[in-house]
Structure formats: structure tokens, C-alpha cells
Amino acid sequence: MELFGWIAVALGMVLFVVSFALMVRANPDARIPYLRNPEVNPSGTIVMRSISVGLLVIGAAALTSTLGYWAPIVIALPLIVMPATTAVHNRRFTAAA
């Protein structure tokens, strides 16, 4: 069960990062808002993020016996990636203005 948990977490993280990278690439000349969808949202990115969150939750649940109460931190990792990538992307526009 532990191997399944690690595979699910790895796949979930990869899917999440790829979907977010696709969204950033689709908006090279526009700011990405933090709490809503950007103007251009490529097809499939929302589905990829939904599947990745599901995989992260299932993987964290499978790793509960191994990681104990640290397992929910696995779910929080994309919550760190998303605002950090948005801030780096949006920083270009504040520096240029």
C-alpha cells in the first residue's frame, strides 16, 4: 500500500505542475489572478488539476500509516507551488510598469 501511495503522490504532483505550467505558458503577456481563472485557460488544465488533487488525497491517505500526521502536508505541497509560480510570473509585469 505504501508503494501505491508514493506512486499516487508522484503522479499527482507531476500532473499538477504540468497543468499549471501549461496555464502560465498560455498567458505570456497577461497577469494571472490568484483567486480566479486567467483570461486564457488551455483545455484540460482544470481536469488535470482535479485529477492531481484526487491522486494526492488518495496517496496521502495510503501513506497515513507510514507518515502519520505528516501525510496532510503532502496535500499542501501544490498549495505552495501555485502561488509561488504565479508570483514569479506576475513579477515581470510589475517590474515593467
Side-chain angles (χ1 to χ4, degrees):
M1 196 66 159
E2 182 178 352
L3 180 63
F4 171 74
W6 286 115
I7 291 172
V9 166
L11 284 174
M13 284 299 296
V14 167
L15 274 176
F16 191 86
V17 170
V18 167
S19 73
F20 207 73
L22 288 172
M23 186 182 66
V24 168
R25 273 198 190 153
N27 295 288
D29 299 329
R31 291 177 56 95
I32 297 175
Y34 284 99
L35 298 176
R36 55 188 171 88
N37 287 331
E39 294 176 17
V40 178
N41 203 1
S43 63
T45 56
I46 294 175
V47 172
M48 286 173 69
R49 270 182 254 150
S50 300
I51 291 171
S52 70
V53 169
L55 284 171
L56 285 169
V57 168
I58 291 170
L63 292 174
T64 303
S65 62
T66 304
L67 298 178
Y69 62 88
W70 289 97
I73 293 176
V74 171
I75 297 171
L77 290 176
L79 298 177
I80 297 168
V81 171
M82 195 160 83
T85 307
T86 303
V88 169
H89 175 77
N90 288 343
R91 181 171 289 166
R92 290 188 307 168
F93 301 108
T94 56

